[in-house]
């Protein structure tokens, strides 16, 4: 009974596994490869396109993009734009900095710059130029940027205030010029733009944060450039700014005297730019009354801007000489020159500025009481004139006032020289009216009196003659005649006295003899002194006889002396 | 008994010793000399010139009454026992004046100006040596200068005269010195005559 053993041994068919474990290796390799690709892509960062006009100093693969001196990217490629007008730089920004790429992000090339504000970017001389990134505030991402030519004056995020200036001083300001307040730099000129239609310059200023409160509706701006010379009725005036301002120029601003700062202004408020400080402050008096002077005399020396004074206080300004000269309101044969003046109450007191109606009434009252204008010489050297308002008592009060071109005409009196002329005429008139006859009769009386005086002087002469006779009698008296003899005797006495002390006088001789004796005594004492000197004990022991040498006779024959 | 007190002894002894010394001193013999006189000449008359001769200035060694004897070229001795009769400047002035007056009859030599108005020339004399020398000669040297009546001075002139001593001794020396003075007077007189006439 044996069964086919082979029958029982049937091959069991088992399903082979679909995937061999060996496949794990390529799969892992694939995964690693994929991860590597992802990693590479994710770390490569974003590519951005920068547009700039000049790629000086920028090299592909080398020039860095920096934020606060930290590298955040690198330039990869530089190529020309399609229209060849500018350059396009492809740069790659690291993923960490990707969030910085928003619409208002700014780029500029940092390279050595020498300007009025100083020298910057010196370190790039060695390291090479780099592109600075200034992050923006926007949340909208962007990948196309324009590179600025200059570093931005007011970086994004800097706190401050932008204001606009408009003026006709074209070349006064440049980008980067300082904005100063009382000499302190508080901001910079951000941009300048010339408007051809309005023919005026538009400037944008940026005032830095702590100082932006200084910009109020009372602020006045003026340029601080150049040296200002002025010669007017008030004399010679020169205003010279500091050397720094001379070189760097700039714009200054200030406020009205004794005035509160005023109200803060909105950003981008428009201000007027004045050529100098004085003009800026002049414009303050925006409340004024206008009058017209009709001047018959010459207005030579009277210029626009000349002061109008009342008793020496400046209360206004001459606005225009020869204002509407050819007006139809003029009457025929009237060649007086109209001068427009402004009375500016604000000059006297700032609080007066608001009460214009009060001033109007006041002026009318003064006009009725004889207020009139005179052209006076303010400076004898230059001959400049100013308008002097005064109230003269004898001026005729005027009830009604003429009007010219809508302005009240202020009565005008002649100037100093014209007044002099008038006075001279008056004087001549008075001379004419002088009465000569009484003077002549008085003169006649004087002549009669002088005749009497002559008689008196004749009498005086007679008296002098008598006096002479008596003097002669005095001289003829014997006592007077003896006077010379006395004088002679006195002189003789004096002569005798003088003889007594003359060289041949006895007294003189005796004096000489005395002196000679004294000399003799001294000489005789000389041997004694000498002896004592040589032999001190000679007083007691007596002098020893000296051994005087014996003078010798010549040994040979005698010789004759020669002179 | 004591007649002599001891306190008297000392002064007595001292005075005795002093007198003893005096007794040994030989007597002094001082001889004085004056310059030899000259023979009298005619008195002054018709005086035409006046010459003022101030006192003669002498060298310091001579400004005394002692004599000067030169022993050799370098050494001189002044005498103490043989002396001039008067101080030497006076003797010289007087000797010169008499000698000049004798030689110039129309010129008056005086110590001071006769009168301020009279113009007088001036004669200044300075004597440097007036001595006997080792070679037996008497020597007189010095310098004299004249100035005119108007005050203008002439150049000073040096003079140097010698005369031999006739014998040894002071008398011969004084004699020889007198001869030198004669020579000086002659020289000055010649000059005065030459330039004033």
């Amino acid at each position: 009974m044996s069964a086919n053993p082979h029958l029982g041994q049937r091959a069991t068919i088992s399903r082979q596994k679909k995937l061999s474990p060996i496949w794990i290796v390529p799969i892992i390799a694939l995964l690693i490869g994929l991860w590597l690709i992802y990693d590479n892509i994710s770390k490569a960062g974003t590519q951005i396109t920068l547009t700039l006009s000049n790629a000086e100093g920028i090299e592909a693969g080398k020039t860095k993009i920096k934020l606060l001196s930290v590298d955040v990217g690198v330039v990869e490629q530089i190529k020309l734009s399609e229209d060849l007008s500018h350059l396009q730089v492809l740069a790659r920004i690291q993923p960490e900095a990707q969030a910085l790429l928003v619409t208002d992000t700014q780029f500029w090339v940092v390279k050595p710059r020498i300007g009025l504000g100083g020298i910057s970017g010196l370190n790039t001389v060695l390291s090479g130029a780099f592109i600075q990134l200034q992050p923006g505030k926007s949340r909208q991402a962007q990948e196309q940027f324009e590179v600025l030519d200059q570093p931005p004056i007011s970086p994004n995020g800097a706190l401050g205030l932008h204001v606009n200036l408009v003026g006709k001083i074209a070349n006064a300001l440049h980008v980067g010029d300082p904005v100063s307040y009382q000499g302190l730099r508080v901001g910079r000129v951000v941009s300048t733009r010339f408007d051809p239609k309005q023919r005026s310059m538009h400037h944008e200023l940026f005032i830095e944060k702590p100082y932006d409160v200084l910009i109020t509706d009372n602020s006045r701006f003026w340029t601080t450039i150049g040296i200002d010379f002025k010669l007017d009725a008030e004399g010679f005036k020169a205003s010279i700014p500091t050397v720094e301002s001379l070189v760097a120029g700039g714009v200054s601003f200030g406020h009205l005297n004794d005035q509160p700062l005023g109200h803060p202004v909105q950003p981008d408020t428009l201000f007027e730019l004045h050529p100098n400080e004085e003009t800026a402050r002049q414009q303050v008096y925006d409340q004024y009354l206008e009058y017209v002077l009709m001047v018959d005399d010459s207005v030579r020396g009277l210029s626009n801007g000349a002061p109008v004074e009342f008793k020496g206080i400046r209360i206004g300004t001459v606005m225009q000489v020869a204002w509407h000269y050819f007006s139809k309101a003029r009457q025929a044969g009237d060649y007086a020159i109209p001068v427009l003046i402004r009375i500016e109450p604000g000059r006297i007191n700032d609080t007066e500025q608001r009460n214009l109606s009060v001033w109007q009434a006041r002026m009318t009252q003064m006009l009725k009481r004889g207020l009139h204008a005179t052209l006076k010489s303010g400076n004898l050297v230059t001959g400049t004139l100013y308008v002097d308002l005064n109230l003269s008592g004898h001026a005729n009060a005027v009830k009604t006032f003429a009007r010219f071109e809508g302005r009240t005409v202020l009565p005008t009196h002649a100037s100093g020289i014209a007044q002099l002329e008038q006075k001279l005429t008056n004087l001549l008139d008075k001379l004419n009216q002088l009465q000569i006859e009484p003077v002549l009769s008085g003169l006649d009386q004087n002549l009669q009196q002088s005749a009497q005086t002559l008689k008196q002087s004749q009498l005086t002469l007679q008296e002098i003659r008598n006096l002479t006779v008596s003097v002669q009698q005095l001289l003829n008296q014997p006592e007077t005649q003896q006077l010379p003899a006395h004088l002679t005797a006195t002189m003789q006495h004096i002569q005798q006295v003088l003889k007594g002390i003359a060289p041949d006088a006895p007294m003189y001789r005796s004096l000489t003899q005395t002196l000679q004796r004294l000399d003799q005594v001294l000489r005789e004492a000389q041997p004694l002194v000498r002896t004592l000197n040589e032999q001190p004990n000679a007083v007691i022991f007596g002098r020893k006889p000296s051994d005087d040498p014996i003078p010798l006779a010549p040994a040979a024959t005698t010789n004759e002396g020669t002179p | 008994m004591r007649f002599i007190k001891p306190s008297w002894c000392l002064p007595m002894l001292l005075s005795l010793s002093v007198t003893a010394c005096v007794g040994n001193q030989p007597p002094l013999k001082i001889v004085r000399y004056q310059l030899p006189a000259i023979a009298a000449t005619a008195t002054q008359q018709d005086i035409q010139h006046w010459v003022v001769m101030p006192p003669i200035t002498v060298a310091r060694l001579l400004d005394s009454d002692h004599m000067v004897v030169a022993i050799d070229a370098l050494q001189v001795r002044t005498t103490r026992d043989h002396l001039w009769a008067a101080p030497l400047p006076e003797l010289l002035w007087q000797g010169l004046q008499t000698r000049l007056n004798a030689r110039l009859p129309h010129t008056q030599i005086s110590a001071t100006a006769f009168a301020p108005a009279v113009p007088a020339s001036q004669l200044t004399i300075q004597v440097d040596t007036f001595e006997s020398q080792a070679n037996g000669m008497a020597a007189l040297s010095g310098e004299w200068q004249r100035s005119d009546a108007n005050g203008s001075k002439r150049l000073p002139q040096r003079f140097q005269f010698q005369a031999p001593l006739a014998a040894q001794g002071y008398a011969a020396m004084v004699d020889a010195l007198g001869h030198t003075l004669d020579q000086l007077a002659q020289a000055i007189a010649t000059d005065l005559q030459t330039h004033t006439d």
Side-chain angles (χ1 to χ4, degrees):
Chain A
M1 338 174 89
S2 70
N4 192 2
H6 294 286
L7 282 178
Q9 291 182 341
R10 287 187 63 155
T12 53
I13 298 167
S14 62
R15 285 182 62 94
Q16 194 179 8
K17 286 182 179 170
K18 283 180 181 174
L19 226 56
S20 165
I22 200 69
W23 281 103
I24 292 173
V25 176
I27 286 170
I28 289 175
L30 184 68
L31 284 176
I32 289 174
L34 284 174
W35 181 80
L36 279 174
I37 290 168
Y38 168 78
D39 187 59
N40 200 14
I41 289 173
S42 66
K43 285 193 175 174
T46 319
Q47 191 180 48
I48 57 169
T49 309
L50 302 175
T51 309
L52 70 168
S53 57
N54 184 0
E56 182 190 348
I58 295 173
E59 295 175 50
K62 199 172 177 187
T63 303
K64 301 277 183 7
I65 295 174
K66 292 188 179 184
L67 167 63
L68 300 173
S69 303
V70 175
D71 291 355
V72 293
V74 67
V75 171
E76 288 188 331
Q77 192 183 351
I78 303 172
K79 62 180 183 183
L80 284 168
S81 64
E82 289 176 2
D83 58 353
L84 304 177
S85 65
H86 57 270
L87 292 165
Q88 285 188 328
V89 172
L90 299 180
R92 194 163 290 278
I93 302 293
Q94 292 172 7
E96 299 87 357
Q98 208 164 338
L100 303 172
L101 302 172
V102 290
T103 46
D104 56 350
T105 298
Q106 289 176 317
F107 292 88
W108 68 94
V109 180
V110 177
K111 53 188 175 186
R113 288 176 203 276
I114 299 174
L116 290 172
I119 302 170
S120 65
L122 262 188
N123 53 339
T124 58
V125 171
L126 295 176
S127 65
F130 62 88
I131 295 172
Q132 182 82 31
L133 183 150
Q134 176 73 44
K137 286 180 172 176
S138 169
R139 293 183 176 279
Q140 195 174 351
Q142 189 179 344
E143 292 184 357
Q144 297 271 343
F145 299 95
E146 289 217 357
V147 177
L148 304 172
D149 290 337
Q150 299 276 337
I153 297 296
S154 59
N156 284 334
L159 295 173
L161 181 70
H162 283 265
V163 289
N164 291 317
L165 296 184
V166 61
K168 302 216 170 186
I169 309 112
N171 61 348
L173 297 177
H174 302 282
V175 172
D177 279 352
V179 177
S180 50
Y181 178 78
Q182 295 180 358
L184 174 73
R185 194 185 71 78
V186 298
R188 291 213 172 264
V189 176
V190 177
S191 71
T192 60
R193 180 173 57 85
F194 183 68
D195 186 350
K197 285 181 182 173
Q198 295 181 359
R199 287 177 293 170
S200 59
M201 285 297 290
H202 291 257
H203 306 279
E204 188 186 350
L205 308 186
F206 177 71
I207 311 296
E208 289 161 10
K209 172 61 181 170
Y211 309 114
D212 56 350
V213 294
L214 296 170
I215 308 291
T216 64
D217 54 357
N218 274 336
S219 297
R220 296 289 184 274
F221 290 81
W222 65 89
T223 54
T224 53
I225 193 163
I227 302 172
D228 188 23
F229 289 106
K230 196 175 174 190
L231 195 62
D232 60 4
E234 292 176 347
F236 175 74
K237 199 183 285 179
S239 112
I240 301 166
T242 59
V243 177
E244 190 192 354
S245 298
L246 261 182
V247 174
V251 55
S252 294
F253 66 96
H255 299 94
L256 307 185
N257 295 334
D258 306 327
Q259 284 258 326
L261 273 179
H263 306 289
V265 295
Q266 293 298 313
D268 296 328
T269 307
L270 192 66
F271 287 94
E272 191 183 349
L273 178 62
H274 299 286
N276 54 47
E277 182 175 1
E278 195 186 348
T279 325
R281 294 198 186 277
Q282 290 273 342
Q283 299 299 320
V284 164
Y285 310 110
D286 51 355
Q287 305 258 321
Y288 50 83
L289 300 169
E290 283 189 331
Y291 290 91
V292 175
L293 309 179
M294 303 301 284
V295 184
D296 287 317
D297 299 324
S298 164
V299 294
R300 180 187 173 84
L302 184 70
S303 54
N304 297 348
V308 175
E309 294 185 357
F310 176 71
K311 291 184 176 181
I313 303 167
R314 180 163 183 177
I315 59 167
T317 311
V318 171
M319 292 315 293
Q320 197 175 352
V321 182
W323 180 68
H324 290 294
Y325 187 74
F326 296 106
S327 167
K328 288 176 182 172
R330 298 167 70 91
Q331 294 169 355
D334 178 12
Y335 296 111
I337 297 168
V339 175
L340 179 70
I341 64 168
R342 276 184 186 172
I343 306 295
E344 295 151 339
R347 284 188 181 275
I348 296 179
N349 194 338
D350 289 327
T351 55
E352 296 281 333
Q353 199 168 348
R354 311 297 173 198
N355 307 326
L356 205 61
S357 56
V358 175
W359 265 83
Q360 180 87 47
R362 193 177 289 163
M363 285 297 289
T364 312
Q365 188 65 32
M366 285 171 87
L367 279 169
K368 282 180 180 169
R369 289 173 60 186
L371 183 74
H372 61 271
T374 314
L375 298 190
K376 285 192 174 173
S377 175
N379 191 326
L380 281 177
V381 179
T382 59
T384 48
L385 297 178
Y386 69 96
V387 176
D388 184 54
L389 300 183
N390 47 31
L391 278 164
S392 60
H394 55 78
N396 295 329
V398 185
K399 299 292 180 194
T400 56
F401 299 102
R403 291 183 75 79
F404 180 80
E405 292 284 334
R407 268 73 167 184
T408 307
V409 175
L410 257 171
T412 309
H413 276 209
S415 67
I417 290 171
Q419 284 178 0
L420 200 68
E421 241 177 60
Q422 183 64 37
K423 282 174 184 169
L424 209 62
T425 315
N426 290 346
L427 185 69
L428 286 173
D429 286 348
K430 278 179 188 168
L431 272 179
N432 255 347
Q433 290 165 4
L434 272 182
Q435 292 181 340
I436 306 294
E437 282 175 12
V439 177
L440 282 178
S441 64
L443 204 65
D444 188 37
Q445 284 176 2
N446 280 345
L447 280 174
Q448 283 174 358
Q449 281 175 359
S450 51
Q452 287 175 359
T453 316
L454 266 178
K455 277 180 191 169
Q456 283 178 355
S457 53
Q458 276 176 353
L459 285 173
T460 315
L461 272 178
Q462 187 64 40
E463 281 172 9
I464 289 173
R465 217 169 285 159
N466 293 341
L467 185 68
T468 315
V469 169
S470 59
V471 167
Q472 205 157 7
Q473 284 172 355
L474 179 71
L475 283 177
N476 287 338
Q477 281 175 1
E479 287 89 353
T480 318
Q481 285 174 345
Q482 279 173 3
L483 206 62
H486 282 301
L487 270 176
T488 315
T490 313
M491 291 302 286
Q492 281 171 350
H493 279 299
I494 291 173
Q495 216 163 355
Q496 280 175 1
V497 172
L498 281 175
K499 269 184 186 167
I501 53 171
D504 52 351
M507 194 177 90
Y508 186 86
R509 275 194 187 153
S510 69
L511 194 66
T512 317
Q513 280 174 3
T514 311
L515 280 174
Q516 283 173 348
R517 275 178 204 149
L518 191 64
D519 187 47
Q520 203 177 346
V521 169
L522 280 174
R523 280 180 189 280
E524 279 169 3
Q526 212 173 5
L528 175 68
V529 174
R530 197 192 309 150
T531 306
L532 280 178
N533 199 22
E534 291 170 355
Q535 190 186 342
N537 60 357
V539 177
I540 298 168
F541 299 111
R543 183 166 69 82
K544 291 176 193 163
S546 63
D547 48 348
D548 286 345
I550 307 294
L552 298 172
T557 52
T558 56
N559 292 329
E560 202 61 39
T562 53
Chain B
M1 290 177 72
R2 285 160 47 179
F3 292 103
I4 302 170
K5 291 182 178 176
S7 59
W8 291 5
C9 287
L10 196 63
M12 282 178 71
L13 278 173
L14 276 174
S15 58
L16 271 176
S17 63
V18 166
T19 48
C21 289
V22 170
N24 288 340
Q25 203 67 27
L28 277 178
K29 187 183 173 191
I30 293 176
V31 187
R32 289 188 178 269
Y33 300 88
Q34 58 182 2
L35 282 170
I38 57 165
T41 54
T43 53
Q44 303 273 305
Q45 54 181 347
D46 189 16
I47 293 168
Q48 292 167 354
H49 303 293
W50 298 87
V51 176
V52 173
M53 186 165 73
I56 295 173
T57 53
V58 296
R60 189 178 170 80
L61 185 69
L62 301 174
D63 191 10
S64 170
D65 58 351
H66 56 232
M67 297 181 175
V68 178
V69 177
I71 297 169
D72 54 32
L74 299 176
Q75 296 186 54
V76 290
R77 290 275 298 273
T78 55
T79 60
R80 293 177 64 190
D81 293 343
H82 299 85
L83 301 173
W84 292 111
L88 187 58
E90 287 175 22
L91 276 186
L92 280 174
W93 191 88
Q94 282 164 3
L96 201 57
Q97 195 235 8
T98 50
R99 281 164 175 77
L100 284 174
N101 275 341
R103 285 169 174 79
L104 302 165
H106 301 295
T107 305
Q108 175 68 46
I109 312 285
S110 61
T112 55
F114 178 72
V118 178
S121 55
Q122 193 161 356
L123 178 64
T124 317
I125 298 171
Q126 181 193 332
V127 173
D128 298 336
T129 51
F130 192 60
E131 63 191 21
S132 83
Q133 293 178 332
N135 59 2
M137 304 295 281
L140 166 65
S141 71
E143 179 178 290
W144 62 278
Q145 189 180 20
R146 272 185 61 204
S147 60
D148 287 341
N150 56 12
S152 66
K153 286 188 174 178
R154 300 196 179 172
L155 281 176
Q157 297 192 22
R158 294 286 312 171
F159 61 82
Q160 191 170 11
F161 300 108
Q162 285 190 331
L165 269 67
Q168 277 192 359
Y170 284 90
M173 170 187 166
V174 171
D175 224 17
L177 285 172
H179 284 307
T180 60
L181 203 60
D182 286 341
Q183 293 174 38
L184 174 63
Q186 186 58 46
I188 293 174
T190 310
D191 185 78
L192 282 176
Q193 276 176 336
T194 314
H195 289 98
T196 49
D197 294 338

